[in-house]
Amino acid sequence: MSGLDPSQSGEGSSSSHITHSESLRKAFAKIDIDGHNLPPSPAPSTPTNGRKYAMATELVYTENGDQYNSSSMPIYQSATFKQTSGSGGNQYDYTRSGNPTRTHLERHLAKIMNARRALVTSSGMGALDVITRLLKPGDEVITGDDLYGGTNRLLKYLSTHQGIVVHHIDTTNPSAVSKYLTSKTAMLLLETPTNPLIKIVDIPTLASLAHDANPSALVVVDNTMLSPLLLTPLDLGADIVYESGTKYLSGHHDLMAGVLATNDPALGERLFFPINSTGCGLAPFDSWLLMRGIKTLKVRMETQQANAMRIAQFLEDTGFRVRYPGLKSHPQYDLHASMARGAGAVLSFETGDVHRSERIVEAAKLWAISVSFGCVNSLISMPCRMSHASIEEKVRRERGVPEDLVRLCVGIEDVGDLEDDLRRALVQAGAVEITPEGVRALKPGETADAVATDVVPPDEAVANGTS
């Protein structure tokens, strides 16, 4: 940090040196809560005038303590670190407890998540597991009735084996949540947009209600669907935010990672304890990969979001029921816009027939059949058959998850190619009727006059513009 001290430059008065050094120490004190002495990342944004850099700059700009001034943070692929004293005490000793590459990533994440402490784990579910270790038998958790399948599976295990009381309710309805909030409520676990029904949760209202009912209750938000680029839940009243780094933060589905962050240093220490104890911290190479992915988050997400909007509009114009918060037809369009800086790139739609949906998924070419989302390439799936299959059919029905629901996770490909491929898949699956104006979604039980490939081949239909 001495390289950042103006006293080394020989310029200015001694009083200005002291003032500037004090301001630097104050800035670093908020960031370097672990006592690390590496040049910090984040460094103070535009320290000359105090203005914070725009997110596009913050995502890319970092400093590291490499002795050779490398442009990219080095990968410290080492399990152990030599000590200078027989009693130990150096900054790093064992990678399970800390690693320079991981520390650099965590500081960078804290910056873009508007947090004082960020931690990284080996997966998104690993991050949630760390968070739920804050609970004890008898604690009550309130969460949504539309959740990621893995989250539901973990909560079910905790309620069955750990004595945690879990209430699944419609978290889009604050009055319904209020009925369950008591002094026993230890955690309010939220997703927004929800997965896969794309419902929107009012984070500020629910956070206020939870803290009024129990000031020590923790409001936890899964921000995987939007990333810090589009939503910063800690600014809206959340105590902890977590997400799967496998998704948008990485962007390439070539690593697994989990991220969690808080503004409470004491809470940060409580979260670090199980990471250090169990060894679920992110490995150095994966930390480096995630750092690399974060730098391109804005350019990827902007393209994916623009593509998603066009695909959502195409499906809605065709006549399908589409769930996407970027559409003004979404019942919570205004609520989402009041909290987020964009609608994201995940949407879902209903066809009215399970077998029709299956045919669409299997007929697509550019849209790869896969779980997960946030990747640069586009994905398609049926949640009830894949990502949410671990939730019993009876429970899915009670929670209003349609079996025919198709989820699209839009990538960065040419949107014209994506739309054409989806249109061809709809035609080939018999989900639409070809009309002089284009295509029209069929209602349940309805059949098209010209759907079979021997009447109008899908590729030919696309080529001549009739599809």
Side-chain angles (χ1 to χ4, degrees):
M1 288 171 59
S2 59
L4 296 174
D5 192 336
S7 64
Q8 302 298 316
S9 67
E11 299 177 358
S13 65
S14 60
S15 61
S16 65
H17 294 164
I18 295 172
T19 301
H20 191 54
S21 297
E22 288 178 348
S23 64
L24 282 173
R25 280 196 295 271
K26 289 179 181 179
F28 293 161
K30 293 182 179 180
I31 298 164
D32 197 15
I33 62 176
D34 296 324
H36 296 304
N37 58 14
L38 288 173
S41 174
S45 296
T46 47
T48 54
N49 61 18
R51 180 183 66 83
K52 186 176 182 179
Y53 288 134
M55 178 62 86
T57 305
E58 295 282 28
L59 288 169
V60 175
Y61 176 67
T62 67
E63 291 185 353
N64 66 65
D66 175 47
Q67 60 182 321
Y68 300 111
N69 295 317
S70 63
S71 299
S72 176
M73 179 66 183
I75 305 170
Y76 286 84
Q77 193 66 42
S78 179
T80 59
F81 297 85
K82 296 178 182 179
Q83 303 298 295
T84 55
S85 167
S87 59
N90 283 16
Q91 182 176 351
Y92 297 101
D93 58 3
Y94 196 53
T95 283
R96 172 168 55 76
S97 301
N99 180 284
T101 310
R102 188 161 73 223
T103 297
H104 182 75
L105 169 65
E106 290 174 338
R107 289 176 176 161
H108 190 61
L109 282 164
K111 175 179 63 173
I112 65 174
M113 299 173 83
N114 286 351
R116 291 197 60 190
R117 182 78 180 268
L119 299 162
V120 287
T121 60
S122 57
S123 72
M125 286 308 302
L128 180 57
D129 178 63
V130 166
I131 294 169
T132 58
R133 287 174 185 264
L134 299 172
L135 301 169
K136 60 184 184 300
D139 281 348
E140 295 190 8
V141 176
I142 296 176
T143 192
D145 56 2
D146 180 33
L147 291 174
Y148 167 55
T151 302
N152 185 85
R153 180 169 52 236
L154 178 59
L155 292 176
K156 184 176 181 180
Y157 178 88
L158 292 174
S159 65
T160 304
H161 301 283
Q162 304 291 337
I164 308 299
V165 179
V166 180
H167 302 288
H168 290 276
I169 57 178
D170 182 5
T171 48
T172 65
N173 184 349
S175 61
V177 175
S178 294
K179 295 177 181 178
Y180 286 86
L181 287 169
T182 69
S183 59
K184 294 182 179 180
T185 302
M187 185 176 293
L188 176 61
L189 179 59
L190 306 173
E191 285 184 15
T192 188
T194 63
N195 179 14
L197 297 181
I198 320 297
K199 298 190 293 185
I200 308 303
V201 172
D202 188 340
I203 298 174
T205 297
L206 294 186
S208 178
L209 290 172
H211 291 144
D212 287 344
N214 182 3
S216 39
L218 295 174
V219 177
V220 181
V221 178
D222 180 349
N223 194 39
T224 305
M225 291 277 274
L226 294 179
S227 85
L229 179 68
L230 302 182
L231 185 69
T232 42
L234 293 177
D235 294 340
L236 301 175
D239 299 296
I240 302 172
V241 59
Y242 77 100
E243 55 189 274
S244 170
T246 312
K247 312 298 193 296
Y248 289 111
L249 288 175
S250 164
H252 296 80
H253 282 185
D254 52 9
L255 70 97
M256 296 191 70
V259 175
L260 54 156
T262 181
N263 275 319
D264 183 341
L267 182 56
E269 284 300 313
R270 292 174 64 194
L271 292 168
F272 172 71
F273 182 84
I275 294 176
N276 182 38
S277 300
T278 64
C280 64
L282 194 61
F285 182 64
D286 287 339
S287 295
W288 181 84
L289 278 176
L290 184 54
M291 187 73 204
R292 183 178 67 167
I294 289 171
K295 293 180 180 181
T296 60
L297 173 61
K298 185 173 186 291
V299 291
R300 287 184 284 105
M301 179 63 91
E302 286 186 343
T303 299
Q304 289 174 276
Q305 187 170 243
N307 287 355
M309 185 66 202
R310 176 162 159 182
I311 295 298
Q313 194 65 65
F314 159 69
L315 288 169
E316 185 172 67
D317 291 344
T318 302
F320 293 103
R321 181 186 179 185
V322 183
R323 302 169 186 263
Y324 182 63
L327 293 174
K328 291 186 177 180
S329 59
H330 192 289
Q332 296 160 304
Y333 174 85
D334 291 332
L335 173 60
H336 181 79
S338 72
M339 298 186 297
R341 295 175 288 275
V346 178
L347 60 105
S348 59
F349 69 100
E350 299 169 42
T351 68
D353 183 277
V354 173
H355 300 297
R356 187 178 290 169
S357 295
E358 290 174 344
R359 291 195 298 270
I360 294 171
V361 169
E362 294 172 359
K365 291 182 179 179
L366 289 179
W367 302 80
I369 304 175
S370 177
V371 296
S372 198
F373 55 88
C375 186
V376 290
N377 56 292
S378 297
L379 308 175
I380 189 170
S381 67
M382 291 181 66
C384 291
R385 296 288 189 272
M386 299 175 70
S387 59
H388 291 65
S390 61
I391 303 175
E392 297 176 359
E393 182 178 355
K394 175 178 178 293
V395 175
R396 293 198 302 264
R397 187 165 54 250
E398 291 171 349
R399 297 179 182 177
V401 182
E403 294 293 310
D404 65 306
L405 192 71
V406 177
R407 190 181 73 178
L408 299 177
C409 309
V410 188
I412 65 172
E413 302 94 337
D414 178 83
V415 70
D417 289 339
L418 290 175
E419 184 177 327
D420 286 346
D421 187 67
L422 185 57
R423 181 185 291 108
R424 181 194 55 77
L426 293 172
V427 172
Q428 185 173 326
V432 294
E433 177 186 21
I434 301 175
T435 70
E437 292 76 26
V439 292
R440 176 186 67 84
L442 296 177
K443 298 177 181 178
E446 188 180 11
T447 58
D449 294 331
V451 171
T453 56
D454 61 341
V455 178
V456 180
D459 292 334
E460 180 182 323
V462 172
N464 64 28
T466 60
S467 64

